[in-house]
Structures are given as C-alpha cells and as structure tokens.
PDB file of all heavy atoms in Angstrom:
ATOM      1  N   ILE J   1      36.015 116.127  87.802  1.00  0.00           N
ATOM      2  CA  ILE J   1      36.538 116.330  86.447  1.00  0.00           C
ATOM      3  C   ILE J   1      35.935 117.593  85.844  1.00  0.00           C
ATOM      4  O   ILE J   1      34.721 117.810  85.916  1.00  0.00           O
ATOM      5  CB  ILE J   1      36.201 115.119  85.548  1.00  0.00           C
ATOM      6  CG1 ILE J   1      36.771 113.825  86.168  1.00  0.00           C
ATOM      7  CG2 ILE J   1      36.746 115.317  84.139  1.00  0.00           C
ATOM      8  CD1 ILE J   1      36.278 112.567  85.479  1.00  0.00           C
ATOM      9  N   VAL J   2      36.788 118.425  85.242  1.00  0.00           N
ATOM     10  CA  VAL J   2      36.361 119.660  84.600  1.00  0.00           C
ATOM     11  C   VAL J   2      36.757 119.612  83.121  1.00  0.00           C
ATOM     12  O   VAL J   2      37.910 119.295  82.797  1.00  0.00           O
ATOM     13  CB  VAL J   2      37.010 120.898  85.255  1.00  0.00           C
ATOM     14  CG1 VAL J   2      36.565 122.181  84.553  1.00  0.00           C
ATOM     15  CG2 VAL J   2      36.678 120.954  86.739  1.00  0.00           C
ATOM     16  N   ALA J   3      35.812 119.907  82.230  1.00  0.00           N
ATOM     17  CA  ALA J   3      36.099 120.056  80.799  1.00  0.00           C
ATOM     18  C   ALA J   3      36.119 121.541  80.484  1.00  0.00           C
ATOM     19  O   ALA J   3      35.186 122.274  80.832  1.00  0.00           O
ATOM     20  CB  ALA J   3      35.049 119.346  79.956  1.00  0.00           C
ATOM     21  N   MET J   4      37.181 122.011  79.803  1.00  0.00           N
ATOM     22  CA  MET J   4      37.338 123.437  79.575  1.00  0.00           C
ATOM     23  C   MET J   4      38.202 123.679  78.347  1.00  0.00           C
ATOM     24  O   MET J   4      38.680 122.730  77.720  1.00  0.00           O
ATOM     25  CB  MET J   4      37.973 124.098  80.797  1.00  0.00           C
ATOM     26  CG  MET J   4      39.313 123.484  81.182  1.00  0.00           C
ATOM     27  SD  MET J   4      40.097 124.279  82.600  1.00  0.00           S
ATOM     28  CE  MET J   4      40.580 125.841  81.862  1.00  0.00           C
ATOM     29  N   ASN J   5      38.406 124.943  78.021  1.00  0.00           N
ATOM     30  CA  ASN J   5      39.361 125.291  76.971  1.00  0.00           C
ATOM     31  C   ASN J   5      40.226 126.446  77.450  1.00  0.00           C
ATOM     32  O   ASN J   5      39.919 127.104  78.451  1.00  0.00           O
ATOM     33  CB  ASN J   5      38.672 125.607  75.642  1.00  0.00           C
ATOM     34  CG  ASN J   5      37.796 126.850  75.714  1.00  0.00           C
ATOM     35  OD1 ASN J   5      37.948 127.702  76.587  1.00  0.00           O
ATOM     36  ND2 ASN J   5      36.857 126.968  74.782  1.00  0.00           N
ATOM     37  N   THR J   6      41.316 126.697  76.742  1.00  0.00           N
ATOM     38  CA  THR J   6      42.206 127.788  77.117  1.00  0.00           C
ATOM     39  C   THR J   6      43.013 128.269  75.925  1.00  0.00           C
ATOM     40  O   THR J   6      43.324 127.495  75.011  1.00  0.00           O
ATOM     41  CB  THR J   6      43.166 127.373  78.238  1.00  0.00           C
ATOM     42  OG1 THR J   6      43.971 128.499  78.628  1.00  0.00           O
ATOM     43  CG2 THR J   6      44.094 126.257  77.792  1.00  0.00           C
ATOM     44  N   ILE J   7      43.353 129.558  75.951  1.00  0.00           N
ATOM     45  CA  ILE J   7      44.272 130.122  74.985  1.00  0.00           C
ATOM     46  C   ILE J   7      45.704 129.786  75.401  1.00  0.00           C
ATOM     47  O   ILE J   7      45.945 129.204  76.464  1.00  0.00           O
ATOM     48  CB  ILE J   7      44.125 131.658  74.909  1.00  0.00           C
ATOM     49  CG1 ILE J   7      44.450 132.267  76.280  1.00  0.00           C
ATOM     50  CG2 ILE J   7      42.737 132.043  74.445  1.00  0.00           C
ATOM     51  CD1 ILE J   7      44.626 133.766  76.280  1.00  0.00           C
ATOM     52  N   ASP J   8      46.678 130.185  74.582  1.00  0.00           N
ATOM     53  CA  ASP J   8      48.083 130.166  74.976  1.00  0.00           C
ATOM     54  C   ASP J   8      48.344 131.483  75.705  1.00  0.00           C
ATOM     55  O   ASP J   8      48.503 132.541  75.088  1.00  0.00           O
ATOM     56  CB  ASP J   8      48.985 130.039  73.744  1.00  0.00           C
ATOM     57  CG  ASP J   8      50.460 129.972  74.113  1.00  0.00           C
ATOM     58  OD1 ASP J   8      50.803 130.177  75.296  1.00  0.00           O
ATOM     59  OD2 ASP J   8      51.287 129.737  73.200  1.00  0.00           O
ATOM     60  N   HIS J   9      48.371 131.420  77.028  1.00  0.00           N
ATOM     61  CA  HIS J   9      48.483 132.641  77.827  1.00  0.00           C
ATOM     62  C   HIS J   9      49.832 133.332  77.652  1.00  0.00           C
ATOM     63  O   HIS J   9      49.960 134.530  77.953  1.00  0.00           O
ATOM     64  CB  HIS J   9      48.224 132.321  79.295  1.00  0.00           C
ATOM     65  CG  HIS J   9      46.803 131.929  79.574  1.00  0.00           C
ATOM     66  ND1 HIS J   9      45.804 132.840  79.820  1.00  0.00           N
ATOM     67  CD2 HIS J   9      46.201 130.709  79.601  1.00  0.00           C
ATOM     68  CE1 HIS J   9      44.656 132.215  80.011  1.00  0.00           C
ATOM     69  NE2 HIS J   9      44.866 130.918  79.883  1.00  0.00           N
ATOM     70  N   ALA J  10      50.817 132.603  77.162  1.00  0.00           N
ATOM     71  CA  ALA J  10      52.128 133.215  76.946  1.00  0.00           C
ATOM     72  C   ALA J  10      52.080 134.279  75.850  1.00  0.00           C
ATOM     73  O   ALA J  10      52.985 135.126  75.764  1.00  0.00           O
ATOM     74  CB  ALA J  10      53.154 132.139  76.590  1.00  0.00           C
ATOM     75  N   LEU J  11      51.042 134.255  75.020  1.00  0.00           N
ATOM     76  CA  LEU J  11      50.930 135.217  73.924  1.00  0.00           C
ATOM     77  C   LEU J  11      50.310 136.538  74.373  1.00  0.00           C
ATOM     78  O   LEU J  11      50.356 137.522  73.636  1.00  0.00           O
ATOM     79  CB  LEU J  11      50.081 134.623  72.790  1.00  0.00           C
ATOM     80  CG  LEU J  11      50.604 133.336  72.146  1.00  0.00           C
ATOM     81  CD1 LEU J  11      49.598 132.829  71.127  1.00  0.00           C
ATOM     82  CD2 LEU J  11      51.963 133.573  71.497  1.00  0.00           C
ATOM     83  N   VAL J  12      49.714 136.574  75.552  1.00  0.00           N
ATOM     84  CA  VAL J  12      48.990 137.757  76.009  1.00  0.00           C
ATOM     85  C   VAL J  12      49.931 138.684  76.785  1.00  0.00           C
ATOM     86  O   VAL J  12      50.620 138.253  77.711  1.00  0.00           O
ATOM     87  CB  VAL J  12      47.792 137.363  76.889  1.00  0.00           C
ATOM     88  CG1 VAL J  12      47.034 138.605  77.350  1.00  0.00           C
ATOM     89  CG2 VAL J  12      46.852 136.428  76.130  1.00  0.00           C
ATOM     90  N   THR J  13      49.924 139.945  76.402  1.00  0.00           N
ATOM     91  CA  THR J  13      50.742 140.934  77.117  1.00  0.00           C
ATOM     92  C   THR J  13      49.956 141.644  78.203  1.00  0.00           C
ATOM     93  O   THR J  13      50.529 142.136  79.171  1.00  0.00           O
ATOM     94  CB  THR J  13      51.303 141.971  76.132  1.00  0.00           C
ATOM     95  OG1 THR J  13      50.215 142.622  75.448  1.00  0.00           O
ATOM     96  CG2 THR J  13      52.213 141.289  75.111  1.00  0.00           C
ATOM     97  N   GLU J  14      48.623 141.721  78.028  1.00  0.00           N
ATOM     98  CA  GLU J  14      47.785 142.365  79.049  1.00  0.00           C
ATOM     99  C   GLU J  14      46.341 141.896  78.904  1.00  0.00           C
ATOM    100  O   GLU J  14      45.812 141.818  77.796  1.00  0.00           O
ATOM    101  CB  GLU J  14      47.839 143.893  78.924  1.00  0.00           C
ATOM    102  CG  GLU J  14      47.034 144.611  79.992  1.00  0.00           C
ATOM    103  CD  GLU J  14      47.008 146.120  79.815  1.00  0.00           C
ATOM    104  OE1 GLU J  14      47.620 146.607  78.842  1.00  0.00           O
ATOM    105  OE2 GLU J  14      46.365 146.809  80.633  1.00  0.00           O
ATOM    106  N   TYR J  15      45.709 141.595  80.045  1.00  0.00           N
ATOM    107  CA  TYR J  15      44.295 141.243  80.089  1.00  0.00           C
ATOM    108  C   TYR J  15      43.517 142.469  80.565  1.00  0.00           C
ATOM    109  O   TYR J  15      43.863 143.078  81.584  1.00  0.00           O
ATOM    110  CB  TYR J  15      44.039 140.090  81.047  1.00  0.00           C
ATOM    111  CG  TYR J  15      44.768 138.811  80.720  1.00  0.00           C
ATOM    112  CD1 TYR J  15      46.110 138.636  81.104  1.00  0.00           C
ATOM    113  CD2 TYR J  15      44.136 137.762  80.064  1.00  0.00           C
ATOM    114  CE1 TYR J  15      46.785 137.465  80.822  1.00  0.00           C
ATOM    115  CE2 TYR J  15      44.810 136.579  79.778  1.00  0.00           C
ATOM    116  CZ  TYR J  15      46.131 136.445  80.164  1.00  0.00           C
ATOM    117  OH  TYR J  15      46.808 135.277  79.891  1.00  0.00           O
ATOM    118  N   THR J  16      42.456 142.809  79.849  1.00  0.00           N
ATOM    119  CA  THR J  16      41.592 143.912  80.270  1.00  0.00           C
ATOM    120  C   THR J  16      40.161 143.376  80.363  1.00  0.00           C
ATOM    121  O   THR J  16      39.915 142.183  80.219  1.00  0.00           O
ATOM    122  CB  THR J  16      41.655 145.083  79.279  1.00  0.00           C
ATOM    123  OG1 THR J  16      40.928 144.742  78.086  1.00  0.00           O
ATOM    124  CG2 THR J  16      43.095 145.434  78.924  1.00  0.00           C
ATOM    125  N   SER J  17      39.232 144.284  80.567  1.00  0.00           N
ATOM    126  CA  SER J  17      37.825 143.871  80.629  1.00  0.00           C
ATOM    127  C   SER J  17      37.244 143.556  79.264  1.00  0.00           C
ATOM    128  O   SER J  17      36.174 142.949  79.167  1.00  0.00           O
ATOM    129  CB  SER J  17      36.989 144.955  81.305  1.00  0.00           C
ATOM    130  OG  SER J  17      37.341 145.073  82.667  1.00  0.00           O
ATOM    131  N   PHE J  18      37.957 143.955  78.171  1.00  0.00           N
ATOM    132  CA  PHE J  18      37.382 143.802  76.833  1.00  0.00           C
ATOM    133  C   PHE J  18      38.296 143.105  75.840  1.00  0.00           C
ATOM    134  O   PHE J  18      37.844 142.730  74.759  1.00  0.00           O
ATOM    135  CB  PHE J  18      36.987 145.174  76.279  1.00  0.00           C
ATOM    136  CG  PHE J  18      36.000 145.921  77.131  1.00  0.00           C
ATOM    137  CD1 PHE J  18      36.431 146.908  77.998  1.00  0.00           C
ATOM    138  CD2 PHE J  18      34.654 145.603  77.086  1.00  0.00           C
ATOM    139  CE1 PHE J  18      35.516 147.596  78.798  1.00  0.00           C
ATOM    140  CE2 PHE J  18      33.734 146.278  77.879  1.00  0.00           C
ATOM    141  CZ  PHE J  18      34.169 147.271  78.742  1.00  0.00           C
ATOM    142  N   GLU J  19      39.572 142.941  76.149  1.00  0.00           N
ATOM    143  CA  GLU J  19      40.472 142.330  75.177  1.00  0.00           C
ATOM    144  C   GLU J  19      41.639 141.655  75.869  1.00  0.00           C
ATOM    145  O   GLU J  19      41.917 141.893  77.053  1.00  0.00           O
ATOM    146  CB  GLU J  19      40.984 143.379  74.185  1.00  0.00           C
ATOM    147  CG  GLU J  19      41.824 144.471  74.828  1.00  0.00           C
ATOM    148  CD  GLU J  19      42.356 145.469  73.824  1.00  0.00           C
ATOM    149  OE1 GLU J  19      42.655 145.054  72.684  1.00  0.00           O
ATOM    150  OE2 GLU J  19      42.473 146.659  74.180  1.00  0.00           O
ATOM    151  N   MET J  20      42.312 140.803  75.097  1.00  0.00           N
ATOM    152  CA  MET J  20      43.564 140.182  75.522  1.00  0.00           C
ATOM    153  C   MET J  20      44.633 140.687  74.571  1.00  0.00           C
ATOM    154  O   MET J  20      44.765 140.177  73.452  1.00  0.00           O
ATOM    155  CB  MET J  20      43.431 138.658  75.511  1.00  0.00           C
ATOM    156  CG  MET J  20      42.455 138.138  76.554  1.00  0.00           C
ATOM    157  SD  MET J  20      42.172 136.358  76.500  1.00  0.00           S
ATOM    158  CE  MET J  20      41.092 136.248  75.073  1.00  0.00           C
ATOM    159  N   LYS J  21      45.350 141.692  74.988  1.00  0.00           N
ATOM    160  CA  LYS J  21      46.317 142.353  74.118  1.00  0.00           C
ATOM    161  C   LYS J  21      47.457 141.403  73.763  1.00  0.00           C
ATOM    162  O   LYS J  21      47.960 140.670  74.624  1.00  0.00           O
ATOM    163  CB  LYS J  21      46.857 143.604  74.794  1.00  0.00           C
ATOM    164  CG  LYS J  21      45.801 144.686  75.017  1.00  0.00           C
ATOM    165  CD  LYS J  21      46.397 145.927  75.650  1.00  0.00           C
ATOM    166  CE  LYS J  21      45.321 147.009  75.842  1.00  0.00           C
ATOM    167  NZ  LYS J  21      45.875 148.243  76.449  1.00  0.00           N
ATOM    168  N   GLY J  22      47.840 141.431  72.501  1.00  0.00           N
ATOM    169  CA  GLY J  22      48.903 140.559  72.015  1.00  0.00           C
ATOM    170  C   GLY J  22      48.399 139.275  71.400  1.00  0.00           C
ATOM    171  O   GLY J  22      49.148 138.577  70.708  1.00  0.00           O
ATOM    172  N   LEU J  23      47.135 138.944  71.636  1.00  0.00           N
ATOM    173  CA  LEU J  23      46.551 137.713  71.089  1.00  0.00           C
ATOM    174  C   LEU J  23      45.878 138.049  69.763  1.00  0.00           C
ATOM    175  O   LEU J  23      44.864 138.743  69.729  1.00  0.00           O
ATOM    176  CB  LEU J  23      45.542 137.125  72.067  1.00  0.00           C
ATOM    177  CG  LEU J  23      45.041 135.712  71.758  1.00  0.00           C
ATOM    178  CD1 LEU J  23      46.152 134.697  71.970  1.00  0.00           C
ATOM    179  CD2 LEU J  23      43.839 135.370  72.624  1.00  0.00           C
ATOM    180  N   GLU J  24      46.444 137.563  68.674  1.00  0.00           N
ATOM    181  CA  GLU J  24      45.903 137.893  67.361  1.00  0.00           C
ATOM    182  C   GLU J  24      44.614 137.143  67.069  1.00  0.00           C
ATOM    183  O   GLU J  24      43.730 137.656  66.389  1.00  0.00           O
ATOM    184  CB  GLU J  24      46.946 137.581  66.282  1.00  0.00           C
ATOM    185  CG  GLU J  24      48.184 138.468  66.353  1.00  0.00           C
ATOM    186  CD  GLU J  24      49.143 138.186  65.225  1.00  0.00           C
ATOM    187  OE1 GLU J  24      48.819 137.331  64.360  1.00  0.00           O
ATOM    188  OE2 GLU J  24      50.219 138.803  65.184  1.00  0.00           O
ATOM    189  N   ARG J  25      44.510 135.926  67.550  1.00  0.00           N
ATOM    190  CA  ARG J  25      43.339 135.101  67.255  1.00  0.00           C
ATOM    191  C   ARG J  25      42.981 134.291  68.488  1.00  0.00           C
ATOM    192  O   ARG J  25      43.849 133.671  69.097  1.00  0.00           O
ATOM    193  CB  ARG J  25      43.637 134.154  66.084  1.00  0.00           C
ATOM    194  CG  ARG J  25      42.497 133.238  65.690  1.00  0.00           C
ATOM    195  CD  ARG J  25      41.383 134.004  64.994  1.00  0.00           C
ATOM    196  NE  ARG J  25      40.378 133.100  64.459  1.00  0.00           N
ATOM    197  CZ  ARG J  25      39.305 133.498  63.798  1.00  0.00           C
ATOM    198  NH1 ARG J  25      39.100 134.768  63.576  1.00  0.00           N
ATOM    199  NH2 ARG J  25      38.422 132.627  63.333  1.00  0.00           N
ATOM    200  N   ASP J  26      41.707 134.325  68.877  1.00  0.00           N
ATOM    201  CA  ASP J  26      41.266 133.590  70.066  1.00  0.00           C
ATOM    202  C   ASP J  26      41.043 132.120  69.700  1.00  0.00           C
ATOM    203  O   ASP J  26      39.922 131.672  69.475  1.00  0.00           O
ATOM    204  CB  ASP J  26      39.990 134.208  70.621  1.00  0.00           C
ATOM    205  CG  ASP J  26      39.646 133.694  72.016  1.00  0.00           C
ATOM    206  OD1 ASP J  26      40.274 132.701  72.442  1.00  0.00           O
ATOM    207  OD2 ASP J  26      38.762 134.264  72.670  1.00  0.00           O
ATOM    208  N   GLN J  27      42.138 131.376  69.649  1.00  0.00           N
ATOM    209  CA  GLN J  27      42.082 129.928  69.436  1.00  0.00           C
ATOM    210  C   GLN J  27      42.394 129.231  70.758  1.00  0.00           C
ATOM    211  O   GLN J  27      43.272 129.674  71.505  1.00  0.00           O
ATOM    212  CB  GLN J  27      43.100 129.492  68.385  1.00  0.00           C
ATOM    213  CG  GLN J  27      42.729 129.873  66.967  1.00  0.00           C
ATOM    214  CD  GLN J  27      43.776 129.403  65.981  1.00  0.00           C
ATOM    215  OE1 GLN J  27      44.881 129.920  65.928  1.00  0.00           O
ATOM    216  NE2 GLN J  27      43.425 128.401  65.192  1.00  0.00           N
ATOM    217  N   ARG J  28      41.694 128.141  71.022  1.00  0.00           N
ATOM    218  CA  ARG J  28      41.820 127.504  72.334  1.00  0.00           C
ATOM    219  C   ARG J  28      41.944 125.990  72.211  1.00  0.00           C
ATOM    220  O   ARG J  28      41.252 125.356  71.413  1.00  0.00           O
ATOM    221  CB  ARG J  28      40.615 127.852  73.212  1.00  0.00           C
ATOM    222  CG  ARG J  28      40.406 129.352  73.374  1.00  0.00           C
ATOM    223  CD  ARG J  28      39.362 129.681  74.408  1.00  0.00           C
ATOM    224  NE  ARG J  28      39.120 131.115  74.469  1.00  0.00           N
ATOM    225  CZ  ARG J  28      38.375 131.703  75.403  1.00  0.00           C
ATOM    226  NH1 ARG J  28      37.782 130.969  76.344  1.00  0.00           N
ATOM    227  NH2 ARG J  28      38.207 133.006  75.399  1.00  0.00           N
ATOM    228  N   ASP J  29      42.826 125.436  73.019  1.00  0.00           N
ATOM    229  CA  ASP J  29      42.951 123.986  73.139  1.00  0.00           C
ATOM    230  C   ASP J  29      41.883 123.460  74.085  1.00  0.00           C
ATOM    231  O   ASP J  29      41.384 124.181  74.966  1.00  0.00           O
ATOM    232  CB  ASP J  29      44.339 123.609  73.670  1.00  0.00           C
ATOM    233  CG  ASP J  29      45.452 123.886  72.670  1.00  0.00           C
ATOM    234  OD1 ASP J  29      45.154 124.030  71.476  1.00  0.00           O
ATOM    235  OD2 ASP J  29      46.625 123.947  73.105  1.00  0.00           O
ATOM    236  N   ILE J  30      41.535 122.183  73.924  1.00  0.00           N
ATOM    237  CA  ILE J  30      40.572 121.512  74.800  1.00  0.00           C
ATOM    238  C   ILE J  30      41.343 120.812  75.926  1.00  0.00           C
ATOM    239  O   ILE J  30      42.266 120.031  75.670  1.00  0.00           O
ATOM    240  CB  ILE J  30      39.731 120.487  74.031  1.00  0.00           C
ATOM    241  CG1 ILE J  30      39.086 121.129  72.794  1.00  0.00           C
ATOM    242  CG2 ILE J  30      38.681 119.854  74.934  1.00  0.00           C
ATOM    243  CD1 ILE J  30      38.021 122.130  73.078  1.00  0.00           C
TER     244      ILE J  30
END
C-alpha cells in the first residue's frame, strides 16, 4: 500500500526541472 498525493496532470502543458507550466495552483488530491 502506498499513500501519496497528486495534481490534476491534465492541467499541465509542460513539466520542467523547476515548474509545471499551465498549473496555476499546486493543489493535490490524496
């Protein structure tokens, strides 16, 4: 069993080493 969180990845247009472009707020579901 793993407990984790995640953003809504559908909102991200590009992942870089420093940001998630397109994501206005880093909110995550459990």
Side-chain angles (χ1 to χ4, degrees):
I1 303 170
V2 179
M4 57 179 289
N5 65 20
T6 183
I7 61 168
D8 182 352
H9 292 274
L11 300 176
V12 181
T13 58
E14 182 184 0
Y15 300 82
T16 74
S17 293
F18 302 99
E19 63 178 326
M20 293 176 284
K21 295 182 179 180
L23 191 70
E24 294 184 3
R25 180 72 172 180
D26 193 348
Q27 287 180 289
R28 304 189 184 189
D29 291 341
I30 307 291

